[in-house]
Amino acid sequence: MDETGMQEAPMDKKDKVRQRLERLQVLDGVMPTRVADTREARRAWRAVAGDIDTDEVQTADMRSRDLLGASLPEGAVQASAIESLADSDDRREQLAAFARAGIGLFHASGRYLEASTEDRRAQGGNDAVTRVLADGPRLLLETQRLVVRFDDRADSGEIAAILRRYGLYPMDSGALPPGLVRAACTSGNATEIAFALMQDAAVVFAEPDFLEHIGQRYVPTDPGYPQQWHHARMGMERAWDISTGAGVRVAVIDNGFDATHPDLAFGPLSSWFRPTSDLIDADFIPGIDRMPGGWHGTACAGMVAARENNGIGGCGVAFGSELMAVACAPDQVGTQSTLARALGYAVRPALEGVETRGADVVCCSLGADGAAWTMTEGLLEAIEFAAAGGREGRGTPVFWATTNGNHPISADEVCSCPQVIAVGRSTRNDSDNGSGFGDELECLAPGVDVWLPIQGGRHATVTGTSFAAPAAAGVAALVLSAMPELTAAEVRARLRSSCDKIGPLPYVQGRNARYGFGRLNALNALR
């Protein structure tokens, strides 16, 4: 759909996916290890990640070689791939994330590459990933999974026959938007099968479900105990006289949360997606028992809904709202279909078997922190589903943190999606602080040196667009608490008109490439 809610023509989607897949480059000979399955091995790969984080790439490469030699048979490995692939900040960030998740990349021998999936498994290799591809700087691990949209006129018998024809078997689609089909291939490569499927008139699109780095959009700073200056900057004190967010459910999607933090009250719909051992699938787990922790998600949740008047810490922008924390991809490595399921569950919990209403506001601060991020059609449909179909057809506002880097948002297909409200970060002094820019930028919100809850029951000073997006989502919760009949588009328009026109640069038709419509003002949004 476009911003007006119009559906794209099926061939438009098919052509778009074809073009996206055609630009992918196969990294010949590069393969991933199996995900490390012992505490000792994971600790060793985390050390590799630490070396990459500190730009000790040669050290990481040497350490990786030792680990590869210990986990794979003699003759399988020609060399570690870390040094050859670490040619940019984006690549180094991804390589570190894969290592932290227990995955190493290596140049495989011809003999290993020619081995069947079963033989690779028997040798201790990764049998869940068939190839490694590149989309510019982005590294994509090709799994044996696909996401397919069939024409609405195709019945179940025709769909089953098409899947059989291409050697595919259907899988549980969970909270993906209705009509999307997940399937697994028994042989061949998912990318080639996707191309073949899209020759069929009954297929709207088919795309591989790649395993990729789904990181966090933050810039860490030293812990401290500053005041929560952002509340005063956005006019929160007077706004709370009108609304605290009561009755509004806010979903925060992230890698993990401190479920025992005393400054957070997790609502009953808080849940998580437990990754399978190979990371390519995830099981829905209701509740917060054994939910993965994470300081980043905890801070995002705290910006929205940290408790007030409890004698500790500060408070959230919408402290009266109900927090719906949804954790996925805890190692920052996963598939976009799992992210799409998290979004689908947030908006319509019944898709994962929980019969109740979904979130009124959704916020996510995950994604590639470099310039480019390619979005799958499955994730796009989940965003469209939320923006148009949430809140019983009134639509659910979807907030997303932009890149922290000084990059054009147009390169990020998620934040440049018309249905996404893309939020950059502002400082105590109302400057833009150099995060993503362009016509796609909706607004700024405080996100530099903000004091928030973090893992371990603590609080710290943190910086990032990751925390600006939940500040904006919190303002939306205040608005919907006071005016629950508003549509998502009407909430968005009200937030736009509320913004203070900060900064020294001119605004053209109310907008500036560096500031969007300005910095949010909660009091103005409620007037």
Side-chain angles (χ1 to χ4, degrees), residues 230-246 315-320 471-472 474-483 494-495 498 500 519-527:
H230 55 278
H231 291 321
R233 184 60 69 191
M234 293 195 296
M236 297 309 310
E237 292 85 351
R238 293 175 64 191
W240 289 327
D241 291 336
I242 303 171
S243 172
T244 64
C315 68
V317 170
F319 55 77
V475 175
L478 301 185
V479 171
L480 281 174
S481 177
M483 294 164 267
R494 183 168 279 272
L495 295 186
S498 80
D500 293 328
R519 191 253 308 122
L520 278 177
N521 183 310
L523 180 60
N524 289 346
L526 290 165
R527 282 172 168 164

Side-chain angles (χ1 to χ4, degrees), residues 4 27 30 41 74 83 87-88 142 146 162 178 226 242 275 278 326 334 387 396 427 431 444 468 484 486:
T4 66
L27 298 182
V30 177
E74 185 177 355
E83 190 168 7
D87 55 1
S88 67
E142 184 184 50
L146 295 97
I162 292 172
I242 303 171
D278 54 18
V326 183
T396 300
T427 70
S431 63
L444 301 183
L486 294 182

Side-chain angles (χ1 to χ4, degrees), residues 126-143:
N126 190 325
D127 61 322
V129 174
T130 52
R131 297 183 299 182
V132 178
L133 298 92
D135 182 6
R138 296 286 296 165
L139 297 172
L140 304 173
L141 277 57
E142 184 184 50
T143 74

Side-chain angles (χ1 to χ4, degrees), residues 210-283:
F210 293 115
L211 193 64
E212 61 183 289
H213 172 224
I214 303 177
Q216 303 166 341
R217 291 179 162 172
Y218 72 95
V219 177
T221 61
D222 293 331
Y225 196 91
Q227 297 295 316
Q228 288 187 305
W229 60 266
H230 55 278
H231 291 321
R233 184 60 69 191
M234 293 195 296
M236 297 309 310
E237 292 85 351
R238 293 175 64 191
W240 289 327
D241 291 336
I242 303 171
S243 172
T244 64
V248 173
R249 182 172 286 160
V250 182
V252 178
I253 300 173
D254 212 277
N255 300 126
F257 305 86
D258 182 352
T260 62
H261 200 292
D263 214 8
L264 294 176
F266 288 81
L269 292 185
S270 295
S271 302
W272 59 293
F273 288 82
R274 177 183 177 274
T276 53
S277 59
D278 54 18
L279 304 182
I280 68 173
D281 287 313
D283 300 320

Side-chain angles (χ1 to χ4, degrees), residues 325-389:
V326 183
C328 65
D331 289 310
Q332 299 183 43
V333 173
T335 65
Q336 288 192 32
S337 70
T338 299
L339 186 55
R341 285 178 65 193
L343 187 56
Y345 166 71
V347 174
R348 190 175 294 177
L351 293 172
E352 293 289 354
V354 182
E355 296 293 339
T356 187
R357 72 176 180 87
D360 302 293
V361 180
V362 172
C363 177
C364 186
S365 296
L366 301 178
D369 214 16
W373 192 22
T374 299
M375 175 170 56
T376 64
E377 289 299 306
L379 181 54
L380 171 60
E381 289 206 1
I383 292 171
E384 293 175 338
F385 176 67

Side-chain angles (χ1 to χ4, degrees), residues 40-292:
E40 184 177 323
R42 291 182 72 87
R43 187 183 301 119
W45 279 111
R46 282 196 295 270
V48 172
D51 291 333
I52 299 172
D53 287 336
T54 56
D55 287 334
E56 299 290 337
V57 173
Q58 288 185 334
T59 302
D61 198 79
M62 288 189 291
R63 198 192 298 265
S64 173
R65 270 180 262 163
D66 293 339
L67 291 171
L68 293 167
S71 62
L72 290 163
E74 185 177 355
V77 179
Q78 289 186 335
S80 166
I82 289 177
E83 190 168 7
S84 63
L85 293 178
D87 55 1
S88 67
D89 289 343
D90 283 351
R91 283 279 179 88
R92 285 189 287 274
E93 181 183 18
Q94 294 170 76
L95 290 167
F98 285 127
R100 201 168 284 111
I103 298 173
L105 298 181
F106 65 97
H107 295 283
S109 67
R111 187 176 66 186
Y112 182 85
L113 293 171
E114 292 168 3
S116 65
T117 300
E118 292 75 16
D119 287 343
R120 288 181 191 170
R121 184 191 305 121
Q123 295 177 51
N126 190 325
D127 61 322
V129 174
T130 52
R131 297 183 299 182
V132 178
L133 298 92
D135 182 6
R138 296 286 296 165
L139 297 172
L140 304 173
L141 277 57
E142 184 184 50
T143 74
Q144 295 169 307
R145 307 286 192 260
L146 295 97
V147 175
V148 187
R149 163 73 68 187
F150 288 93
D151 189 280
D152 292 340
R153 292 165 294 187
D155 59 29
S156 58
E158 184 179 3
I159 290 172
I162 292 172
L163 293 178
R164 284 195 302 271
R165 189 184 311 146
Y166 292 98
L168 301 172
Y169 61 90
M171 302 181 65
D172 180 19
S173 295
L176 288 178
L180 282 183
V181 175
R182 289 182 76 230
C185 54
T186 54
S187 62
N189 296 317
T191 303
E192 277 71 26
I193 293 173
F195 278 119
L197 275 167
M198 287 189 288
Q199 298 294 322
D200 198 301
V203 174
V204 176
F205 69 83
E207 56 191 355
D209 201 14
F210 293 115
L211 193 64
E212 61 183 289
H213 172 224
I214 303 177
Q216 303 166 341
R217 291 179 162 172
Y218 72 95
V219 177
T221 61
D222 293 331
Y225 196 91
Q227 297 295 316
Q228 288 187 305
W229 60 266
H230 55 278
H231 291 321
R233 184 60 69 191
M234 293 195 296
M236 297 309 310
E237 292 85 351
R238 293 175 64 191
W240 289 327
D241 291 336
I242 303 171
S243 172
T244 64
V248 173
R249 182 172 286 160
V250 182
V252 178
I253 300 173
D254 212 277
N255 300 126
F257 305 86
D258 182 352
T260 62
H261 200 292
D263 214 8
L264 294 176
F266 288 81
L269 292 185
S270 295
S271 302
W272 59 293
F273 288 82
R274 177 183 177 274
T276 53
S277 59
D278 54 18
L279 304 182
I280 68 173
D281 287 313
D283 300 320
F284 174 72
I285 309 294
I288 59 176
D289 185 36
R290 299 191 180 184
M291 174 184 278

